Each structure stands twice: as C-alpha cells, then as structure tokens.
mmCIF file of all heavy atoms in Angstrom:
data_model
loop_
_atom_site.group_PDB
_atom_site.id
_atom_site.type_symbol
_atom_site.label_atom_id
_atom_site.label_comp_id
_atom_site.label_asym_id
_atom_site.label_seq_id
_atom_site.Cartn_x
_atom_site.Cartn_y
_atom_site.Cartn_z
ATOM 1 N N LYS V 676 -1.381 -11.364 -6.260
ATOM 2 C CA LYS V 676 -1.385 -11.145 -7.707
ATOM 3 C C LYS V 676 -0.078 -10.513 -8.196
ATOM 4 O O LYS V 676 0.191 -10.512 -9.399
ATOM 5 C CB LYS V 676 -2.561 -10.246 -8.085
ATOM 6 C CG LYS V 676 -3.930 -10.860 -7.809
ATOM 7 C CD LYS V 676 -5.044 -9.899 -8.168
ATOM 8 C CE LYS V 676 -6.416 -10.481 -7.859
ATOM 9 N NZ LYS V 676 -7.511 -9.520 -8.165
ATOM 10 N N LEU V 677 0.717 -9.989 -7.271
ATOM 11 C CA LEU V 677 2.007 -9.405 -7.640
ATOM 12 C C LEU V 677 3.104 -10.453 -7.774
ATOM 13 O O LEU V 677 4.189 -10.153 -8.278
ATOM 14 C CB LEU V 677 2.437 -8.368 -6.598
ATOM 15 C CG LEU V 677 1.883 -6.963 -6.744
ATOM 16 C CD1 LEU V 677 2.219 -6.135 -5.507
ATOM 17 C CD2 LEU V 677 2.446 -6.286 -7.987
ATOM 18 N N GLY V 678 2.851 -11.655 -7.295
ATOM 19 C CA GLY V 678 3.901 -12.671 -7.324
ATOM 20 C C GLY V 678 5.084 -12.242 -6.479
ATOM 21 O O GLY V 678 4.931 -11.688 -5.391
ATOM 22 N N LYS V 679 6.289 -12.444 -6.994
ATOM 23 C CA LYS V 679 7.492 -12.123 -6.230
ATOM 24 C C LYS V 679 7.697 -10.617 -6.045
ATOM 25 O O LYS V 679 8.437 -10.199 -5.165
ATOM 26 C CB LYS V 679 8.716 -12.734 -6.910
ATOM 27 C CG LYS V 679 8.802 -14.244 -6.760
ATOM 28 C CD LYS V 679 10.158 -14.753 -7.193
ATOM 29 C CE LYS V 679 10.287 -16.247 -6.894
ATOM 30 N NZ LYS V 679 11.629 -16.764 -7.270
ATOM 31 N N ASP V 680 7.035 -9.816 -6.876
ATOM 32 C CA ASP V 680 7.206 -8.364 -6.756
ATOM 33 C C ASP V 680 6.711 -7.830 -5.418
ATOM 34 O O ASP V 680 7.142 -6.758 -4.975
ATOM 35 C CB ASP V 680 6.485 -7.646 -7.892
ATOM 36 C CG ASP V 680 7.181 -7.824 -9.230
ATOM 37 O OD1 ASP V 680 8.408 -8.051 -9.236
ATOM 38 O OD2 ASP V 680 6.495 -7.752 -10.268
ATOM 39 N N VAL V 681 5.801 -8.545 -4.757
ATOM 40 C CA VAL V 681 5.318 -8.078 -3.462
ATOM 41 C C VAL V 681 6.447 -8.070 -2.438
ATOM 42 O O VAL V 681 6.430 -7.292 -1.468
ATOM 43 C CB VAL V 681 4.134 -8.936 -2.969
ATOM 44 C CG1 VAL V 681 4.592 -10.293 -2.463
ATOM 45 C CG2 VAL V 681 3.352 -8.203 -1.880
ATOM 46 N N GLU V 682 7.451 -8.907 -2.633
ATOM 47 C CA GLU V 682 8.564 -8.986 -1.685
ATOM 48 C C GLU V 682 9.425 -7.729 -1.709
ATOM 49 O O GLU V 682 10.071 -7.404 -0.714
ATOM 50 C CB GLU V 682 9.419 -10.218 -1.989
ATOM 51 C CG GLU V 682 8.669 -11.532 -1.828
ATOM 52 C CD GLU V 682 9.496 -12.737 -2.256
ATOM 53 O OE1 GLU V 682 10.738 -12.637 -2.276
ATOM 54 O OE2 GLU V 682 8.892 -13.779 -2.589
ATOM 55 N N THR V 683 9.448 -7.010 -2.838
ATOM 56 C CA THR V 683 10.257 -5.788 -2.941
ATOM 57 C C THR V 683 9.403 -4.520 -2.905
ATOM 58 O O THR V 683 9.920 -3.422 -3.108
ATOM 59 C CB THR V 683 11.106 -5.806 -4.221
ATOM 60 O OG1 THR V 683 10.287 -6.125 -5.346
ATOM 61 C CG2 THR V 683 12.231 -6.823 -4.105
ATOM 62 N N LEU V 684 8.098 -4.664 -2.676
ATOM 63 C CA LEU V 684 7.241 -3.502 -2.449
ATOM 64 C C LEU V 684 7.593 -2.891 -1.097
ATOM 65 O O LEU V 684 7.733 -3.591 -0.105
ATOM 66 C CB LEU V 684 5.778 -3.926 -2.465
ATOM 67 C CG LEU V 684 4.720 -2.901 -2.020
ATOM 68 C CD1 LEU V 684 4.746 -1.665 -2.921
ATOM 69 C CD2 LEU V 684 3.332 -3.539 -2.025
ATOM 70 N N ARG V 685 7.738 -1.576 -1.081
ATOM 71 C CA ARG V 685 8.111 -0.901 0.163
ATOM 72 C C ARG V 685 7.054 -1.118 1.241
ATOM 73 O O ARG V 685 5.864 -1.089 0.977
ATOM 74 C CB ARG V 685 8.291 0.598 -0.088
ATOM 75 C CG ARG V 685 8.854 1.361 1.101
ATOM 76 C CD ARG V 685 9.178 2.780 0.735
ATOM 77 N NE ARG V 685 10.307 2.847 -0.185
ATOM 78 C CZ ARG V 685 11.581 2.730 0.172
ATOM 79 N NH1 ARG V 685 11.899 2.521 1.433
ATOM 80 N NH2 ARG V 685 12.533 2.818 -0.726
ATOM 81 N N PHE V 686 7.504 -1.351 2.476
ATOM 82 C CA PHE V 686 6.598 -1.547 3.603
ATOM 83 C C PHE V 686 5.748 -0.302 3.834
ATOM 84 O O PHE V 686 6.178 0.821 3.560
ATOM 85 C CB PHE V 686 7.390 -1.815 4.887
ATOM 86 C CG PHE V 686 7.827 -3.235 5.064
ATOM 87 C CD1 PHE V 686 8.977 -3.702 4.448
ATOM 88 C CD2 PHE V 686 7.099 -4.120 5.846
ATOM 89 C CE1 PHE V 686 9.399 -5.013 4.614
ATOM 90 C CE2 PHE V 686 7.504 -5.428 6.012
ATOM 91 C CZ PHE V 686 8.662 -5.883 5.398
ATOM 92 N N ALA V 687 4.561 -0.511 4.346
ATOM 93 C CA ALA V 687 3.748 0.619 4.792
ATOM 94 C C ALA V 687 4.457 1.329 5.934
ATOM 95 O O ALA V 687 5.292 0.742 6.632
ATOM 96 C CB ALA V 687 2.379 0.119 5.251
ATOM 97 N N SER V 688 4.136 2.593 6.125
ATOM 98 C CA SER V 688 4.713 3.352 7.232
ATOM 99 C C SER V 688 4.237 2.785 8.566
ATOM 100 O O SER V 688 3.085 2.349 8.689
ATOM 101 C CB SER V 688 4.288 4.815 7.134
ATOM 102 O OG SER V 688 4.522 5.501 8.348
ATOM 103 N N PRO V 689 5.098 2.794 9.598
ATOM 104 C CA PRO V 689 4.642 2.373 10.928
ATOM 105 C C PRO V 689 3.452 3.177 11.433
ATOM 106 O O PRO V 689 2.658 2.690 12.229
ATOM 107 C CB PRO V 689 5.878 2.606 11.803
ATOM 108 C CG PRO V 689 7.033 2.539 10.873
ATOM 109 C CD PRO V 689 6.529 3.123 9.582
ATOM 110 N N ALA V 690 3.312 4.422 10.930
ATOM 111 C CA ALA V 690 2.184 5.263 11.344
ATOM 112 C C ALA V 690 0.883 4.839 10.669
ATOM 113 O O ALA V 690 -0.193 5.273 11.072
ATOM 114 C CB ALA V 690 2.486 6.725 11.021
ATOM 115 N N ALA V 691 0.975 4.003 9.621
ATOM 116 C CA ALA V 691 -0.222 3.589 8.884
ATOM 117 C C ALA V 691 -0.437 2.084 8.951
ATOM 118 O O ALA V 691 -1.135 1.512 8.130
ATOM 119 C CB ALA V 691 -0.104 4.028 7.429
ATOM 120 N N SER V 692 0.168 1.432 9.943
ATOM 121 C CA SER V 692 0.042 -0.018 10.062
ATOM 122 C C SER V 692 0.283 -0.403 11.519
ATOM 123 O O SER V 692 0.726 0.419 12.323
ATOM 124 C CB SER V 692 1.047 -0.723 9.154
ATOM 125 O OG SER V 692 2.368 -0.329 9.478
ATOM 126 N N LEU V 693 0.029 -1.643 11.854
ATOM 127 C CA LEU V 693 0.280 -2.132 13.202
ATOM 128 C C LEU V 693 1.619 -2.848 13.218
ATOM 129 O O LEU V 693 1.845 -3.764 12.424
ATOM 130 C CB LEU V 693 -0.829 -3.088 13.646
ATOM 131 C CG LEU V 693 -0.706 -3.646 15.076
ATOM 132 C CD1 LEU V 693 -0.807 -2.516 16.096
ATOM 133 C CD2 LEU V 693 -1.794 -4.697 15.339
ATOM 134 N N PHE V 694 2.515 -2.400 14.114
ATOM 135 C CA PHE V 694 3.850 -2.961 14.239
ATOM 136 C C PHE V 694 4.681 -2.763 12.965
ATOM 137 O O PHE V 694 5.735 -3.366 12.809
ATOM 138 C CB PHE V 694 3.820 -4.463 14.576
ATOM 139 C CG PHE V 694 2.974 -4.811 15.759
ATOM 140 C CD1 PHE V 694 1.972 -5.751 15.663
ATOM 141 C CD2 PHE V 694 3.167 -4.170 16.981
ATOM 142 C CE1 PHE V 694 1.181 -6.073 16.763
ATOM 143 C CE2 PHE V 694 2.379 -4.477 18.077
ATOM 144 C CZ PHE V 694 1.391 -5.426 17.974
ATOM 145 N N GLY V 695 4.181 -1.927 12.030
ATOM 146 C CA GLY V 695 4.937 -1.674 10.817
ATOM 147 C C GLY V 695 4.694 -2.667 9.702
ATOM 148 O O GLY V 695 5.236 -2.518 8.612
ATOM 149 N N TYR V 696 3.877 -3.712 9.919
ATOM 150 C CA TYR V 696 3.680 -4.670 8.834
ATOM 151 C C TYR V 696 2.264 -5.212 8.705
ATOM 152 O O TYR V 696 1.945 -5.873 7.722
ATOM 153 C CB TYR V 696 4.658 -5.842 8.953
ATOM 154 C CG TYR V 696 4.741 -6.502 10.314
ATOM 155 C CD1 TYR V 696 3.744 -7.365 10.768
ATOM 156 C CD2 TYR V 696 5.826 -6.258 11.146
ATOM 157 C CE1 TYR V 696 3.835 -7.972 12.004
ATOM 158 C CE2 TYR V 696 5.928 -6.857 12.392
ATOM 159 C CZ TYR V 696 4.932 -7.712 12.811
ATOM 160 O OH TYR V 696 5.019 -8.305 14.046
ATOM 161 N N LEU V 697 1.377 -4.990 9.626
ATOM 162 C CA LEU V 697 -0.004 -5.458 9.481
ATOM 163 C C LEU V 697 -0.839 -4.313 8.910
ATOM 164 O O LEU V 697 -1.013 -3.274 9.537
ATOM 165 C CB LEU V 697 -0.563 -5.894 10.833
ATOM 166 C CG LEU V 697 -1.989 -6.455 10.830
ATOM 167 C CD1 LEU V 697 -2.060 -7.726 9.994
ATOM 168 C CD2 LEU V 697 -2.463 -6.745 12.241
ATOM 169 N N ASN V 698 -1.344 -4.501 7.675
ATOM 170 C CA ASN V 698 -1.999 -3.419 6.946
ATOM 171 C C ASN V 698 -3.490 -3.337 7.252
ATOM 172 O O ASN V 698 -4.194 -4.347 7.245
ATOM 173 C CB ASN V 698 -1.802 -3.622 5.446
ATOM 174 C CG ASN V 698 -0.351 -3.516 5.027
ATOM 175 O OD1 ASN V 698 0.462 -2.941 5.738
ATOM 176 N ND2 ASN V 698 -0.016 -4.075 3.882
ATOM 177 N N TRP V 699 -3.974 -2.095 7.464
ATOM 178 C CA TRP V 699 -5.390 -1.851 7.696
ATOM 179 C C TRP V 699 -5.908 -0.809 6.727
ATOM 180 O O TRP V 699 -5.184 0.100 6.309
ATOM 181 C CB TRP V 699 -5.628 -1.346 9.124
ATOM 182 C CG TRP V 699 -5.594 -2.435 10.153
ATOM 183 C CD1 TRP V 699 -5.878 -3.755 9.957
ATOM 184 C CD2 TRP V 699 -5.251 -2.296 11.528
ATOM 185 N NE1 TRP V 699 -5.729 -4.448 11.132
ATOM 186 C CE2 TRP V 699 -5.342 -3.578 12.118
ATOM 187 C CE3 TRP V 699 -4.878 -1.230 12.324
ATOM 188 C CZ2 TRP V 699 -5.080 -3.815 13.457
ATOM 189 C CZ3 TRP V 699 -4.616 -1.455 13.659
ATOM 190 C CH2 TRP V 699 -4.720 -2.736 14.228
ATOM 191 N N HIS V 700 -7.188 -0.934 6.416
ATOM 192 C CA HIS V 700 -7.860 0.042 5.577
ATOM 193 C C HIS V 700 -8.307 1.218 6.438
ATOM 194 O O HIS V 700 -8.383 1.119 7.663
ATOM 195 C CB HIS V 700 -9.060 -0.624 4.890
ATOM 196 C CG HIS V 700 -9.788 0.273 3.951
ATOM 197 N ND1 HIS V 700 -11.106 0.624 4.119
ATOM 198 C CD2 HIS V 700 -9.379 0.899 2.831
ATOM 199 C CE1 HIS V 700 -11.478 1.433 3.142
ATOM 200 N NE2 HIS V 700 -10.457 1.617 2.344
ATOM 201 N N PHE V 701 -8.635 2.333 5.785
ATOM 202 C CA PHE V 701 -9.048 3.556 6.475
ATOM 203 C C PHE V 701 -10.241 3.310 7.384
ATOM 204 O O PHE V 701 -10.258 3.714 8.549
ATOM 205 C CB PHE V 701 -9.387 4.617 5.421
ATOM 206 C CG PHE V 701 -9.639 5.988 5.972
ATOM 207 C CD1 PHE V 701 -8.598 6.783 6.405
ATOM 208 C CD2 PHE V 701 -10.931 6.495 6.038
ATOM 209 C CE1 PHE V 701 -8.829 8.062 6.899
ATOM 210 C CE2 PHE V 701 -11.175 7.765 6.532
ATOM 211 C CZ PHE V 701 -10.118 8.546 6.960
ATOM 212 N N ASP V 702 -11.264 2.627 6.885
ATOM 213 C CA ASP V 702 -12.463 2.350 7.688
ATOM 214 C C ASP V 702 -12.141 1.470 8.896
ATOM 215 O O ASP V 702 -12.701 1.641 9.987
ATOM 216 C CB ASP V 702 -13.522 1.650 6.836
ATOM 217 C CG ASP V 702 -14.316 2.632 5.982
ATOM 218 O OD1 ASP V 702 -14.230 3.837 6.245
ATOM 219 O OD2 ASP V 702 -15.009 2.180 5.057
ATOM 220 N N GLU V 703 -11.246 0.510 8.700
ATOM 221 C CA GLU V 703 -10.897 -0.417 9.776
ATOM 222 C C GLU V 703 -10.189 0.297 10.924
ATOM 223 O O GLU V 703 -10.345 -0.064 12.088
ATOM 224 C CB GLU V 703 -10.009 -1.530 9.217
ATOM 225 C CG GLU V 703 -10.724 -2.387 8.188
ATOM 226 C CD GLU V 703 -9.780 -3.247 7.380
ATOM 227 O OE1 GLU V 703 -8.580 -2.912 7.290
ATOM 228 O OE2 GLU V 703 -10.236 -4.255 6.835
ATOM 229 N N THR V 704 -9.441 1.319 10.596
ATOM 230 C CA THR V 704 -8.769 2.115 11.627
ATOM 231 C C THR V 704 -9.795 2.727 12.578
ATOM 232 O O THR V 704 -9.605 2.754 13.797
ATOM 233 C CB THR V 704 -7.920 3.222 10.982
ATOM 234 O OG1 THR V 704 -6.951 2.621 10.123
ATOM 235 C CG2 THR V 704 -7.206 4.045 12.037
ATOM 236 N N TYR V 705 -10.905 3.221 12.039
ATOM 237 C CA TYR V 705 -11.946 3.819 12.867
ATOM 238 C C TYR V 705 -12.606 2.785 13.775
ATOM 239 O O TYR V 705 -12.918 3.067 14.936
ATOM 240 C CB TYR V 705 -12.991 4.500 11.973
ATOM 241 C CG TYR V 705 -12.667 5.946 11.728
ATOM 242 C CD1 TYR V 705 -11.684 6.300 10.817
ATOM 243 C CD2 TYR V 705 -13.292 6.955 12.441
ATOM 244 C CE1 TYR V 705 -11.356 7.623 10.599
ATOM 245 C CE2 TYR V 705 -12.981 8.281 12.240
ATOM 246 C CZ TYR V 705 -12.006 8.614 11.317
ATOM 247 O OH TYR V 705 -11.669 9.927 11.121
ATOM 248 N N ILE V 706 -12.833 1.599 13.237
ATOM 249 C CA ILE V 706 -13.445 0.545 14.049
ATOM 250 C C ILE V 706 -12.592 0.253 15.273
ATOM 251 O O ILE V 706 -13.084 0.138 16.403
ATOM 252 C CB ILE V 706 -13.637 -0.733 13.208
ATOM 253 C CG1 ILE V 706 -14.678 -0.497 12.117
ATOM 254 C CG2 ILE V 706 -14.046 -1.911 14.096
ATOM 255 C CD1 ILE V 706 -14.784 -1.624 11.125
#
C-alpha cells in the first residue's frame, strides 16, 4: 500500500528480524 515509498523505508534492525530483512511479529518470535 506504500507503493514506491516502501523502497526508502528504513530496514528493520537485525535484532528485530531474520538476516536483517525478514520481518516477524512479536507473537511469531515466541513461536
């Protein structure tokens, strides 16, 4: 829904994602 703006959105922190780019929700981390 962000269109091209998603390309310039800052990446999630490596501490809050897998390999620095695969995003997970809080609940999914526990699973």
Side-chain angles (χ1 to χ4, degrees):
K676 296 178 182 178
L677 276 170
K679 287 192 174 182
D680 288 334
V681 75
E682 297 175 22
T683 50
L684 170 61
R685 188 172 291 281
F686 277 83
S688 165
S692 58
L693 182 64
F694 308 125
Y696 49 76
L697 182 63
N698 295 340
W699 282 334
H700 183 242
F701 188 75
D702 279 346
E703 296 165 338
T704 301
Y705 269 77
I706 293 172

